[in-house]
Amino acid sequence: MSSVIPVGMSQLKTAKSPSQLAVYGIGSCIILSMYDAARHVGGLAHIMLPDSSGMDKSNINTIKFADTAVPALIEAVLDEGALRVGLEAKIFGGSEMFPPTEDFTNTIGRDNTIAVKAALKKHNIPLKCEDTGGTHGRSIEFDLSNGVVKVYIVGEEVREL
């Protein structure tokens, strides 16, 4: 029987088949999955913000920011046994959960999505698919036996990506 490993905000977790990784209640954050299909090894990073510029890098949670979480997840799945040549990424989340006000434009979900895509491109990791944007929350379950990510949105059919 496989275990389900929850991944919290600003956390990174890796595992091998037959385990599953899961994130519940995703809003503007981006959940980045990486998977090596030949080795059935993968990981998730729960990314909150787009950029760590101006932050003291010695005193931050690197998983919190897109620019530092992407290389951290690459390193973690390689340490778990994946090969870089086999890695593929998928991203989920990036919703705009709260309407903008007259003096505030709400774009954190979009900004997170753009930042993660840029970091993946910088590190030459192909983005296989995404389920991002909109104004609704999501939950996901990542099956490491086959690389399928189930996306749950209240009131909608479950999607498998």
Side-chain angles (χ1 to χ4, degrees), residues 4-156:
V4 177
I5 303 165
V7 181
M9 203 172 288
S10 296
Q11 287 187 336
L12 177 155
K13 300 227 176 135
T14 61
K16 297 177 182 177
S17 177
S19 294
Q20 294 186 41
L21 299 168
V23 180
Y24 305 105
I26 307 160
S28 61
C29 293
I30 291 290
I31 307 307
L32 169 62
S33 73
M34 281 192 197
Y35 186 64
D36 179 340
R39 284 155 193 75
H40 303 283
V41 173
L44 291 178
H46 191 149
I47 301 166
M48 291 179 61
L49 295 168
D51 186 36
S52 65
S53 296
M55 305 290 286
D56 176 3
K57 299 288 195 278
S58 67
N59 196 28
I60 65 168
N61 176 350
T62 56
I63 311 310
K64 189 175 189 176
F65 303 94
D67 62 319
T68 52
V70 170
L73 183 56
I74 294 167
E75 184 177 325
V77 294
L78 295 177
D79 288 348
E80 188 74 36
L83 293 181
R84 187 177 176 93
V85 70
L87 289 181
E88 291 182 329
K90 298 177 185 179
I91 59 174
F92 308 90
S95 294
E96 302 303 344
M97 298 300 293
F98 306 101
T101 61
E102 34 185 270
D103 60 343
F104 175 74
T105 304
N106 188 10
T107 63
I108 189 65
R110 182 190 70 201
D111 295 348
N112 283 339
T113 303
I114 291 168
V116 170
K117 287 180 178 181
L120 288 169
K121 185 174 183 176
K122 177 181 177 182
H123 293 280
N124 298 311
I125 302 295
L127 179 61
K128 185 173 181 177
C129 66
E130 68 180 286
D131 188 309
T132 59
T135 57
H136 50 270
R138 298 168 173 83
S139 292
I140 65 163
E141 294 176 348
F142 179 21
D143 186 342
L144 294 167
S145 68
N146 59 16
V148 171
V149 177
K150 290 183 181 178
V151 181
Y152 301 89
I153 298 171
V154 173
E156 295 186 16

